[in-house]
Amino acid sequence: MDTLLVAGATVITPDGHAEALAVRGGRIEHVGTVTECREALGRVDEELALDGGVVHPGFVDAHCHPVMYGQALAWVDCRPEVAPDLDTLVSLLAETARRLPPGAPVRGFGYEHRRLAERRHPTAHDLDRVATDREVYLMNASGHGGVVNTYALRQYGITAGMPDPVGGRIGRFDGGEPNGELWDAACDLLTGLDGVKIRNHGPNFHLSEPADIMIEHVRRAQEVFLAAGVTSVGDAQVSRRELETYLWARDEGALRLRVSAYLTSALLDTAADLGLAGELGDDRLRIAGVKFYADGTLGGWTAYFPDGYAADCCHHGQLYHSPEEYTELIGRAHRLGLQTATHAQSPYAIGMVLDAVEKAGPPYGMRHRIEHSGLPTDEQIGRMAELGVIPVMQPQHHLRTGDGTITAVGELGHRYNPAGLCAAAGVPVVFSSDAPVAQPDPLEAVAAAATRTTVLGTVLGGPELRMSVPDGLRAHSIAAAGALRREHAVGSLEPGKLADFAVMDGDPTTAQPAELSAIRVTQTWIGGRIAWSA
């Protein structure tokens, strides 16, 4: 077996700090002094002398979309920092259209309508300025929808007479004509006759491309995750497209991250027919559970508020399923022994999840998850603790869209991502990126949770909502591993665990929030082998 000695470093352990790490056969043999680690190994095949570096457990991103992220990286970057207004946005898309072959679709990602100078969504008419002879698709930063041009509306047969699908919304002009916006389940319309259909089981971003292109998306995405020190991920919406891509990448030796896949609930019947009961796979690729949706996104005003939004009492958002249907779905997954992960943002949707988990009954050790869990009430946080439900939050969401959330829901928006309240109630808080909604950057997430200050300078809520830097680091490592039910293997540097770690040029555990942005990852190791180096 290959042995590795990591020395000359500050090693972050569950109990504090050590000076060396001994690795045998891809697993940690010992953590302690250099002398202890040499003695534990006997023969040292490779020695990593870091000369003052800091060794931190590999970060775990428990909720992200690596394939979609790689795809978005190949599209036109339309984030507010790049495209602050509609003219710039159209210009960037048009420039790409001129470089593409005739008829090839033009796709962009990342616009946030509240941060555009015009303070509105683009429309089909805006995107007609890009091209009228091919599809133009601009995905919102939330990933829950976007805008297409008139050509695409006609290509996919989206007309004024078409009703909104269950769990989705077709944007319309005042006269009823489609305005190009497609939200949540309505995104199914863009996948064509032969594409992946998930119906009212989530926003459909599963656009088909050839296998070699899909694998390239994975390669591209992995580079960014690894550069941030992330070694394990939970893909929080896996259709046939994603699962096939991961299998292809693994077979070609291109799958470097450890991937826990959460099948879209549209595949629940398939999973049951196959006899899937619990986890399936290995340390590199495994099916971990099932992803559900209760409501939509706060950014697109599709999260469900039955009494209306503060900014528009006539706007309610929507549910993907009725409470009765959703409860039956969760019960089926629970009886199959499958962990569930449900997207829920509004208090109503979060309550739906808790009611369904409670009704599903024991065993409560399933660790059912609430993804985002944006605006839980105090009572709901208490129920999470009682039921063993794990909220998987994204501090980078409130960093970038907290101001828009306050605009949408009023003062309630100051509670967005109440990590500190959850931790105080004994709920295991988990952080993640939701990439491509945010970049994989655990240190930015930890800083955002510690300050709760948005990019526009708004401080959200009081100090009771914040989490300290050390607690935030645990939320993005060992607690996140627990959300994947992998804490026995990853998330901390302890004997017997997989040797997944990030080497940094500073110690994040002793840094102030403002100092985290200056710390750089210099190397990332997975299974005792280097996976990325600066």
Side-chain angles (χ1 to χ4, degrees):
M1 282 189 177
D2 293 340
T3 59
L4 168 70
L5 174 66
V6 181
T10 298
V11 180
I12 308 300
T13 73
D15 301 319
H17 296 78
E19 64 179 28
L21 193 69
V23 178
R24 185 189 305 275
R27 290 186 178 271
I28 298 170
E29 180 98 351
H30 189 78
V31 183
T33 68
V34 174
T35 300
E36 291 170 345
C37 288
R38 285 191 186 279
E39 291 176 350
L41 291 177
R43 187 188 79 250
V44 175
D45 296 318
E46 181 180 2
E47 183 166 338
L48 176 62
L50 291 175
D51 191 25
V54 175
V55 177
H56 189 278
F59 288 109
V60 178
D61 196 332
H63 178 121
C64 56
H65 308 277
V67 178
M68 179 191 175
Y69 179 54
Q71 194 169 36
L73 289 173
W75 293 356
V76 182
D77 187 349
C78 295
R79 292 173 297 160
E81 297 84 357
V82 180
D85 55 60
L86 285 172
D87 283 343
T88 305
L89 192 153
V90 167
S91 177
L92 289 170
L93 293 168
E95 181 182 344
T96 297
R98 287 191 290 271
R99 296 199 306 265
L100 290 172
V106 181
R107 291 170 176 159
F109 177 83
Y111 87 91
E112 295 178 29
H113 52 289
R114 293 189 190 92
R115 291 178 62 191
L116 286 171
E118 295 81 0
R119 298 293 189 272
R120 67 170 176 85
H121 289 283
T123 68
H125 296 164
D126 293 311
L127 298 189
D128 289 344
R129 294 163 54 194
V130 176
T132 58
D133 62 344
R134 66 183 75 193
E135 174 188 329
V136 181
Y137 176 38
L138 177 58
M139 188 180 285
N140 183 264
S142 68
H144 276 248
V147 186
V148 297
N149 63 345
T150 301
Y151 178 95
L153 291 173
R154 291 171 180 160
Q155 179 186 23
Y156 296 112
I158 302 169
T159 64
M162 178 178 287
D164 289 347
V166 175
R169 177 169 64 85
I170 298 171
R172 303 176 194 273
F173 291 115
D174 289 342
E177 286 294 323
N179 66 8
E181 290 181 50
L182 297 169
W183 291 99
D184 292 283
C187 300
D188 243 15
L189 299 169
L190 299 179
T191 59
L193 295 175
D194 301 322
V196 172
K197 298 291 185 183
I198 59 177
R199 307 180 308 282
N200 62 319
H201 290 266
N204 196 331
F205 46 73
H206 308 282
L207 304 180
S208 298
E209 293 188 272
D212 57 335
I213 299 299
M214 297 301 294
I215 293 175
E216 188 57 35
H217 292 330
V218 171
R219 292 184 194 275
R220 186 182 296 113
Q222 286 182 126
E223 281 295 308
V224 185
F225 280 98
L226 291 168
V230 175
T231 54
S232 292
V233 298
D235 189 322
Q237 185 169 312
V238 171
S239 72
R240 182 185 71 246
R241 179 189 83 150
E242 282 74 23
L243 192 56
E244 287 179 347
T245 300
Y246 288 132
L247 289 167
W248 291 330
R250 187 193 62 182
D251 291 347
E252 292 199 2
L255 188 60
R256 295 148 71 194
L257 293 170
R258 302 191 192 279
V259 178
S260 294
Y262 287 82
L263 302 177
T264 170
S265 56
L267 295 175
L268 184 57
D269 287 341
T270 302
D273 290 344
L274 290 172
L276 185 64
E279 303 171 11
L280 177 67
D282 55 27
D283 286 333
R284 185 67 59 172
L285 176 62
R286 55 191 279 275
I287 294 174
V290 183
K291 170 68 177 294
F292 294 84
Y293 282 81
D295 67 348
T297 171
L298 290 165
W301 290 22
T302 59
Y304 185 62
F305 290 86
D307 296 326
Y309 279 73
D312 181 356
C313 63
C314 295
H315 201 105
H316 302 274
Q318 68 259 343
L319 297 173
Y320 276 89
H321 308 276
S322 69
E324 296 76 19
E325 180 187 26
Y326 172 77
T327 297
E328 193 275 331
L329 289 168
I330 291 294
R332 286 188 62 204
H334 183 86
R335 290 188 294 275
L336 287 170
L338 296 171
Q339 182 192 27
T340 66
T342 301
H343 170 114
Q345 288 280 24
S346 75
Y348 186 97
I350 293 168
M352 269 179 57
V353 181
L354 295 171
D355 288 346
V357 170
E358 185 170 27
K359 189 167 184 178
Y364 292 126
M366 295 287 291
R367 301 188 198 174
H368 296 302
R369 300 169 28 163
I370 300 181
E371 310 305 294
H372 315 306
S373 191
L375 296 168
T377 66
D378 290 341
E379 184 267 341
Q380 289 170 341
I381 292 172
R383 292 183 68 194
M384 290 180 200
E386 292 171 6
L387 295 170
V389 171
I390 300 174
V392 180
M393 297 181 177
Q394 297 77 32
Q396 290 159 289
H397 283 198
H398 71 242
L399 173 67
R400 287 176 172 76
T401 63
D403 296 278
T405 300
I406 293 171
T407 298
V409 302
E411 283 300 304
L412 177 62
H414 277 281
R415 279 181 62 104
Y416 192 18
N417 289 340
L421 294 179
C422 290
V427 176
V429 177
V430 172
F431 290 163
S432 60
S433 70
D434 198 16
V437 179
Q439 298 297 305
D441 190 342
L443 294 183
E444 181 181 72
V446 170
T451 66
R452 291 186 58 83
T453 302
T454 73
V455 290
L456 299 181
T458 303
V459 178
L460 300 175
E464 72 280 1
L465 297 164
R466 302 171 195 162
M467 284 192 74
S468 69
V469 169
D471 286 345
L473 291 168
R474 286 189 284 272
H476 229 313
S477 52
I478 188 62
L484 297 178
R485 302 200 292 187
R486 297 289 291 162
E487 76 278 9
H488 63 283
V490 299
S492 62
L493 301 178
E494 300 178 75
K497 290 193 173 186
L498 294 162
D500 297 356
F501 57 88
V503 180
M504 303 180 181
D505 62 7
D507 187 347
T509 66
T510 60
Q512 296 299 311
E515 298 170 337
L516 290 175
S517 62
I519 296 176
R520 294 287 177 265
V521 174
T522 59
Q523 296 179 11
T524 302
W525 291 66
I526 298 181
R529 297 184 182 278
I530 193 162
W532 180 89
S533 174

